[in-house]
Amino acid sequence: EVNLPGTVIYDPNSSINISARISGRIEKLYVNYKYQRVAKGQKIFELYSPELLTEQQNFVYLITNDNQNTSIINSAKQKLLLYGMTNSQVNALASAKQTNPIITIYSPADGIIIGTEKMANTNTSSMSSASNNTETLDIKEGNYIKKGEGIFRLVNTDKVWGVFNVLEGYNGLVKINQPINITSELDEKNTIYGKIDFVETQLNPADKTNRIRVYLNTENLKLHIGISF
């Protein structure tokens, strides 16, 4: 039996890139800090786009003056949806016939904003650092963004990694699919039963350890990022 120190970190494979579907200027940000939690459907930012205004005007013109031409109207509607408008926003536009060059972008899923595309490309292990929880994002209101540009990286926290350090000399004792019993510092009385899903082969020269990963479902376990084992 070997006791291994470990911690909970994000699973980078569960991340979602939130990109701009149309060029424009960020008018308002509803997410201001790294590691801010958002819910699916929550407002993330508002974007001003002259191109969007043009497409809205074209759509309103068609439904007002050529409402029998359903194929062209549907094509115009699909273009608005591709630019990031929701079905409810397009239906409201069709009903009110009032254009608005500002579009509200909503979160596509529950999760945590780990930064902009640039910020998210840092070392994954740094995500567990509580000291960064109030780090401001490197995108601001008034910034211009291009179509296809990554704005935010969102990670789902339903599944996380339990990462454990194995000291040099004990490497031969750990194998993939091997059972592992986990106890968190917040609940030492209850044991989490899992298995080793991945063994890193590269040794960390700083502390002479290599790492193993255990995939954990947090829905029932209620594990928070940064918890130590």
Side-chain angles (χ1 to χ4, degrees):
E1 183 175 294
V2 181
N3 293 320
L4 306 174
T7 189
V8 177
I9 68 171
Y10 297 110
D11 177 5
N13 296 323
S14 68
S15 65
I16 300 171
N17 288 325
I18 302 176
S19 303
R21 296 189 181 184
I22 192 171
S23 300
R25 182 182 70 238
I26 293 181
E27 288 291 294
K28 185 173 180 59
L29 279 173
Y30 294 98
V31 177
N32 301 301
Y33 299 101
K34 195 175 181 182
Y35 305 119
Q36 186 170 336
R37 182 176 292 278
V38 296
K40 183 178 181 180
Q42 180 178 330
K43 292 180 180 180
I44 298 180
F45 65 92
E46 292 179 357
L47 183 71
Y48 167 81
S49 173
E51 187 178 357
L52 176 65
L53 177 61
T54 300
E55 294 300 332
Q56 287 181 348
Q57 290 171 336
N58 179 55
F59 177 72
V60 170
Y61 177 84
L62 289 171
I63 62 176
T64 303
N65 300 286
D66 196 9
N67 58 9
Q68 300 301 315
N69 200 336
T70 55
S71 61
I72 295 181
I73 290 175
N74 286 334
S75 295
K77 179 179 179 179
Q78 287 303 313
K79 184 173 286 188
L80 291 174
L81 294 173
L82 288 173
Y83 280 169
M85 293 185 69
T86 64
N87 269 305
S88 60
Q89 287 173 327
V90 175
N91 291 336
L93 173 64
S95 176
K97 296 183 175 60
Q98 293 182 347
T99 59
N100 188 348
I102 297 176
I103 181 175
T104 301
I105 306 299
Y106 300 90
S107 174
D110 297 330
I112 297 222
I113 297 290
I114 60 172
T116 59
E117 182 73 13
K118 179 180 177 181
M119 295 174 73
N121 288 330
T122 56
N123 194 317
T124 304
S125 61
S126 67
M127 298 177 190
S128 62
S129 174
S131 63
N132 291 330
N133 284 355
T134 56
E135 182 182 348
T136 56
L137 301 172
D138 59 1
I139 191 165
K140 307 294 181 185
E141 293 179 356
N143 285 168
Y144 285 86
I145 55 178
K146 297 179 181 179
K147 181 179 180 180
E149 181 180 348
I151 308 303
F152 292 117
R153 180 77 65 85
L154 178 74
V155 290
N156 185 290
T157 55
D158 290 340
K159 293 183 179 180
V160 295
W161 285 353
V163 177
F164 301 86
N165 295 323
V166 182
L167 288 172
E168 186 178 15
Y170 292 95
N171 307 35
L173 299 179
V174 293
K175 298 177 177 62
I176 293 177
N177 292 323
Q178 188 173 5
I180 183 170
N181 299 336
I182 304 169
T183 304
S184 77
E185 62 179 1
L186 297 182
D187 189 3
E188 297 181 355
K189 294 182 179 179
N190 293 320
T191 301
I192 302 167
Y193 301 96
K195 64 181 179 66
I196 298 174
D197 293 285
F198 185 79
V199 178
E200 294 184 5
T201 56
Q202 185 175 357
L203 192 70
N204 185 343
D207 57 8
K208 302 299 182 182
T209 67
N210 69 318
R211 305 196 307 176
I212 62 172
R213 299 181 206 158
V214 179
Y215 294 99
L216 302 169
N217 190 321
T218 62
E219 185 175 356
N220 298 321
L221 300 175
K222 306 300 181 185
L223 295 172
H224 301 289
I225 302 302
I227 287 179
S228 297
F229 296 126

